[in-house]
Amino acid sequence: RIIYEAYVNNSCHEGKMTDIYTQLEKANLLFFEYGITALDSYFDEKPRPIKFLAVQCSLIELARAFASLEYPGLPYADASLYDEARFICSEDALEEDLGNPWMNFRRNPSNGVFYDKGNIYNSLKLRSIPTLFSESPELERSLFDFTLMATFSEIPPSLPKSLSVPTSPSILLQRDLLVGILSGPYPASGFEVLKQSGFIAREWPEIALLDNVDHSKDFHPEGNGWNHTMQTFSYRKNRDLILSLALLLHDIGKWESKSYEGHRFDRHAELGARRAEKFLSRLGFSEEIQKDVKFLIRYHMMPAALPTLPIQKTEELIRDPRFPLLLELFRCDEFSSFKDAERYYDACNTYRSICRNLRNPYRKADGSKVYASRRSDSHFS
């Protein structure tokens, strides 16, 4: 076993433990990050919403530390804590062999020491992810592990013959998988793996149908609906889950939309918003997440028309705190289509101008002056 230390800038590595880590330390339980959680630390990537931890204890001891512990029966976790952590429990967590060199890569958060039981350090150092995937072809890999590891590679790896694809994945497994992909550095690679395996067509048909959406080469030289959607992730400035879900689902209404009065995909935003809500509900996402993603998809075409729409039709939306995120969705959508950036910058300029007017007690949202009597009433209210 190779043991080495790495110090990076991530705040978690600087000793600022999460509440979960603090509770484990208070319970005097030795624990390690494993799998993608350890690899995110190694590559100095932003930590994903769900942490994967190997704890050196029994399930009974872990339950004493967390009153809300659940036992989801997942193949990659003995216990679960909401949507925040998945635990593997073992009397010797460091020596426990998880059957995969990637999953056997561990990190001790308390001191920043990495444990390379699977001898993958040299590959990690070169970031030769596809090469590492092809090693040990006889080793059976689960689709869950393989897909999440693929998100570290800009180039999707080929599916190994020994890949194990679950026949009846639980809702929690599907949600973990989706969140893990979207919060990784290269989501498109993870989705390509799922697509090649047949998982998406079987479990997430709403997304699979994007491959049947033909785009005009004049407006979408990047390819069909699937290619366009995958391209949007390369323009993200952050890995916000709401934004990422909206990027993935923003065009799922196109396959059932009809051409009308020159609009190739008429009402696809409205259709897509409803389908996205049903999809997220099926996977057990909170109502708040469903509502926010639905909002972004429903109005994702609106920023293009913002400079020309009358203020009466846009003021309510512009006042919505989610509008800046809507602009970010619009930016990723526009830039992935190889369109001129002018529409995005025009929308931003209009938004800033309206916001400035809204802050000015002497102006209406459209910039016109407010009558003195109205100013007086506003002042005394």
XYZ file of all heavy atoms in Angstrom, residues 298-299 301-315 317-318 323 326 347 350 354 365-366:
203
model
N -39.358 26.312 -18.029
C -40.534 26.983 -18.598
C -40.155 28.299 -19.260
O -40.717 28.671 -20.311
C -41.559 27.221 -17.474
C -42.728 28.138 -17.845
C -43.568 27.550 -18.939
N -44.650 28.446 -19.319
C -44.528 29.445 -20.189
N -43.359 29.687 -20.773
N -45.572 30.207 -20.491
N -39.196 29.043 -18.692
C -38.880 30.374 -19.207
C -37.499 30.449 -19.854
O -36.986 31.558 -20.049
C -38.993 31.398 -18.075
C -40.398 31.521 -17.522
C -40.715 31.015 -16.265
C -41.405 32.111 -18.268
C -42.018 31.106 -15.761
C -42.708 32.207 -17.776
C -43.005 31.699 -16.528
O -44.288 31.781 -16.047
N -36.479 30.268 -22.787
C -36.416 30.988 -24.053
C -36.676 32.488 -23.886
O -36.386 33.273 -24.786
C -37.451 30.414 -25.024
C -37.280 28.938 -25.345
S -35.797 28.629 -26.308
C -36.248 29.386 -27.861
N -37.211 32.885 -22.743
C -37.631 34.268 -22.554
C -36.497 35.298 -22.626
O -36.678 36.379 -23.201
C -38.384 34.400 -21.229
C -39.088 35.749 -21.066
S -38.015 37.031 -20.406
C -38.288 36.830 -18.681
N -35.301 35.028 -22.052
C -34.260 36.054 -22.106
C -33.918 36.533 -23.515
O -33.516 37.689 -23.690
C -33.055 35.361 -21.454
C -33.669 34.397 -20.502
C -34.880 33.883 -21.211
N -34.102 35.678 -24.523
C -33.805 36.092 -25.899
C -34.692 37.252 -26.330
O -34.278 38.110 -27.122
C -33.985 34.907 -26.844
N -35.931 37.283 -25.814
C -36.873 38.330 -26.204
C -36.947 39.470 -25.191
O -37.712 40.421 -25.383
C -38.267 37.720 -26.385
N -36.169 39.387 -24.133
C -36.247 40.379 -23.059
C -36.091 41.819 -23.549
O -36.837 42.704 -23.117
C -35.207 40.070 -21.980
C -35.249 40.918 -20.714
C -36.592 40.767 -20.012
C -34.117 40.514 -19.759
N -35.147 42.117 -24.455
C -34.982 43.512 -24.900
C -36.187 44.072 -25.651
O -36.338 45.298 -25.745
C -33.749 43.452 -25.808
C -33.011 42.235 -25.367
C -34.082 41.257 -24.991
N -37.043 43.209 -26.195
C -38.159 43.685 -27.016
C -39.520 43.519 -26.355
O -40.510 44.089 -26.815
C -38.182 42.942 -28.370
O -38.296 41.525 -28.131
C -36.900 43.206 -29.154
N -39.610 42.751 -25.298
C -40.884 42.531 -24.622
C -41.276 43.741 -23.787
O -40.419 44.383 -23.170
C -40.810 41.298 -23.716
C -40.790 39.931 -24.399
C -40.540 38.839 -23.364
C -42.106 39.671 -25.128
N -42.565 44.077 -23.720
C -43.002 45.183 -22.857
C -42.778 44.829 -21.391
O -42.908 43.672 -20.993
C -44.500 45.313 -23.178
C -44.893 43.995 -23.772
C -43.678 43.490 -24.484
N -42.428 45.820 -20.609
C -42.063 45.587 -19.219
C -43.211 44.955 -18.430
O -42.982 44.207 -17.469
C -41.625 46.918 -18.553
C -40.994 46.646 -17.184
C -42.795 47.872 -18.442
C -39.727 45.843 -17.248
N -44.456 45.198 -18.850
C -45.588 44.621 -18.141
C -45.573 43.092 -18.174
O -46.087 42.436 -17.272
C -46.913 45.118 -18.747
C -47.153 46.615 -18.580
C -46.535 47.415 -19.729
O -45.681 46.918 -20.461
N -46.990 48.656 -19.870
N -44.970 42.529 -19.203
C -44.925 41.073 -19.349
C -43.705 40.443 -18.682
O -43.647 39.228 -18.531
C -44.936 40.696 -20.834
C -46.257 40.971 -21.538
C -46.242 40.402 -22.945
C -47.598 40.588 -23.623
N -47.629 39.992 -24.983
N -42.733 41.251 -18.325
C -41.477 40.696 -17.807
C -41.153 41.081 -16.365
O -40.329 40.438 -15.731
C -40.300 41.131 -18.692
O -40.194 42.562 -18.676
C -40.480 40.651 -20.122
N -41.785 42.126 -15.849
C -41.392 42.645 -14.532
C -41.496 41.593 -13.439
O -40.599 41.465 -12.599
C -42.238 43.864 -14.159
C -41.823 44.477 -12.835
C -42.589 45.751 -12.505
O -43.332 46.258 -13.384
O -42.446 46.231 -11.360
N -41.266 38.349 -13.634
C -40.186 37.358 -13.778
C -38.846 37.947 -13.368
O -38.031 37.282 -12.718
C -40.114 36.854 -15.218
C -41.211 35.891 -15.672
C -41.060 35.583 -17.156
C -41.160 34.615 -14.858
N -38.610 39.177 -13.751
C -37.331 39.813 -13.434
C -37.171 40.000 -11.924
O -36.060 39.931 -11.388
C -37.217 41.157 -14.176
C -36.977 40.880 -15.672
C -36.086 42.013 -13.612
C -36.970 42.114 -16.526
N -34.121 34.636 -11.408
C -33.867 35.152 -12.750
C -32.382 35.133 -13.127
O -32.043 34.802 -14.270
C -34.443 36.555 -12.922
C -34.573 36.969 -14.364
C -35.711 36.640 -15.086
C -33.552 37.643 -15.005
C -35.827 36.994 -16.424
C -33.656 37.999 -16.334
C -34.799 37.671 -17.052
N -31.672 31.868 -14.399
C -32.282 31.707 -15.720
C -31.381 32.281 -16.800
O -31.220 31.691 -17.876
C -33.648 32.407 -15.737
C -34.434 32.334 -17.053
C -34.809 30.897 -17.390
C -35.687 33.207 -16.979
N -29.589 40.615 -23.420
C -30.499 40.248 -22.326
C -29.939 40.707 -20.984
O -30.683 41.226 -20.130
C -30.728 38.746 -22.320
N -30.285 44.525 -20.652
C -31.668 44.892 -20.374
C -32.031 44.572 -18.929
O -32.691 45.361 -18.240
C -32.614 44.157 -21.332
O -32.276 44.469 -22.680
C -34.065 44.549 -21.075
N -33.253 47.301 -16.090
C -34.531 47.211 -15.390
C -34.316 47.129 -13.880
O -35.035 47.766 -13.101
C -35.324 45.999 -15.902
C -35.719 46.207 -17.370
C -36.568 45.761 -15.054
C -36.380 44.997 -18.006
N -40.234 50.627 -13.627
C -39.378 49.566 -14.155
C -38.934 49.840 -15.579
O -37.831 49.458 -15.992
C -40.097 48.219 -14.081
N -39.793 50.545 -16.346
C -39.440 50.836 -17.734
C -38.591 52.089 -17.879
O -38.246 52.502 -18.990
C -40.699 50.952 -18.587
C -41.616 52.093 -18.131
O -41.263 52.795 -17.159
O -42.681 52.275 -18.744
